Amino acid sequence: MAKVAFLFPGQGAQRVGMGKSLHDAYSTAKAAFDEARETLGYDVASLCFEGPEETLRETENAQVALYVTSVAAWRALSECCPTEPFAVAGHSVGEYAALVAAGALDFGDGLQLVRTRGELMRDAAARMPGGMAAIIGLDAETARQACDEARAHGAGIVAVANYNGGGQIVISGEKSAVVAAGVIAKAKGAKKILPLAVSGGFHSPLMGMAGDALFPHLSRTTFRKPRVRIVANYTAEYVEVPADVTGGLTMQVSGSVRWEESMQLLLRDGVDTFLELGVGETLSNMMKRIDSTVRRAGVHDAASLQAVCALLEQGSNG
């Protein structure tokens, strides 16, 4: 019997056309887009399916689009081949879709939170401009040291944003400080430094005001005890009580996404099948770098959903 985890992607995975195939083929997926339109007052489906790409890339739009598409994919999977996972996890904003899949958060409440989160992060980025870069081929401790040294030399605010695993670390902060930390990282043996096309220094102290402003909205939201395990970004540990959800979602806005540790937790607990729900193969590729022996698959259109259902049936038979 397969031991399954559902994974939900974060910002950067979005692309024009996301979710359309599932929307057209599955009524439950279409319902997610319809509810989003009714709740938010604009056509999320049109944004996802037609773009334009520049608009879809803006953080307040990308976060909503990813959330709705991920929940639509999860609903379609539940309609096609109902599967109760051992655990769920989401990368950054993907954690909100994970909470819905775990039964801890209502879809409509999540919509409001994700919209607010995106707007607050957009506003924080406008007040305190920043950037991000991927460091390839360097271990986590050395990447942290590069950020520490850059700050010590007066470069400004810079920190590790994402511990993605397999030799990929993302740093974030003031643009000049990100550049300085990248130079130091290269001198310490990094293979590449890749600037990312983002509108702010996400998951860094520059987003502290956004997290603080989000907290009251989280506090007013009803979170239930999860039906299945949720791995929190901020702690890389399972969330078991609603109070921990609120604190974790507040801190993850300006804190590091501890993705590799999260996946290692699932691997230690025997998860052997990782399903990425929503769009693209970003998390599947990360998982391949962390452990290439486990099964990885994604649900991002009708064809891939059928393939995943066949994979799950195969796993249930042996």
Side-chain angles (χ1 to χ4, degrees), residues 2-309:
K3 202 168 190 177
V4 178
F6 292 168
L7 309 181
F8 298 91
Q11 192 166 338
Q14 71 276 357
R15 63 190 64 175
V16 174
M18 57 193 286
K20 187 176 190 310
S21 176
L22 293 171
H23 168 280
D24 293 347
Y26 294 92
S27 60
T28 50
K30 181 178 182 299
F33 287 96
D34 291 344
E35 185 176 341
R37 183 187 65 248
E38 294 167 5
T39 301
L40 302 180
Y42 68 92
D43 193 352
V44 177
S46 177
L47 173 66
C48 291
F49 305 164
E50 302 169 14
E53 184 176 344
E54 295 76 12
T55 303
L56 186 58
R57 197 163 50 231
E58 295 169 353
T59 189
E60 67 272 25
N61 296 325
Q63 293 191 38
V64 168
L66 285 163
Y67 172 76
V68 175
T69 302
S70 292
V71 172
W74 167 69
R75 286 183 174 181
L77 177 64
S78 300
E79 178 183 346
C80 179
C81 48
T83 301
E84 189 79 319
F86 171 79
V88 297
H91 194 284
S92 189
V93 71
E95 193 163 351
Y96 289 80
L99 286 162
V100 174
L105 177 65
D106 287 335
F107 176 62
D109 289 340
L111 268 174
Q112 301 285 12
L113 288 174
V114 169
R115 175 170 65 176
T116 299
R117 182 183 188 268
E119 291 171 348
L120 291 171
M121 292 173 70
R122 174 201 62 198
D123 294 345
R127 287 192 293 268
M128 299 184 69
M132 304 176 76
I135 298 176
I136 308 300
L138 207 62
D139 63 89
E141 180 57 33
T142 307
R144 282 195 295 268
Q145 290 174 4
C147 292
D148 292 343
E149 290 179 24
R151 291 196 305 272
H153 293 152
I157 296 171
V158 61
V160 174
N162 303 336
Y163 296 95
N164 286 335
Q168 184 191 94
I169 303 289
V170 176
I171 60 174
S172 177
E174 295 176 274
K175 292 180 181 180
S176 59
V178 170
V179 171
V183 171
I184 295 170
K186 197 72 184 296
K188 290 180 177 293
K191 295 178 181 178
K192 292 181 182 178
I193 310 296
L194 303 174
L196 302 182
V198 296
S199 57
F202 304 127
H203 294 289
S204 82
L206 296 181
M207 291 289 120
M209 65 181 73
D212 292 342
L214 181 62
F215 178 74
H217 299 274
L218 292 166
S219 298
R220 291 192 294 268
T221 301
T222 299
F223 292 97
R224 295 179 295 274
K225 182 177 176 60
R227 187 178 62 252
V228 300
R229 298 164 184 82
I230 304 168
V231 189
N233 282 189
Y234 186 68
T235 61
E237 296 176 351
Y238 295 125
V239 176
E240 305 208 0
V241 297
D244 292 339
V245 173
T246 301
L249 292 177
T250 301
M251 299 304 295
Q252 64 125 267
V253 175
S254 59
S256 302
V257 175
R258 297 168 61 180
W259 191 253
E260 181 172 20
E261 292 174 84
S262 298
M263 297 302 100
Q264 293 291 358
L265 172 64
L266 296 175
L267 288 168
R268 287 195 301 272
D269 283 343
V271 174
D272 56 16
T273 303
F274 293 80
L275 303 181
E276 182 171 2
L277 307 183
V279 55
E281 299 178 342
T282 301
L283 301 181
S284 297
N285 290 333
M286 288 182 191
M287 196 65 233
K288 183 178 181 180
R289 293 193 294 268
I290 294 169
D291 187 336
S292 62
T293 67
V294 297
R295 292 188 292 186
R296 307 171 306 280
V299 173
H300 51 82
D301 57 22
S304 61
L305 174 53
Q306 291 301 317
V308 163
C309 287

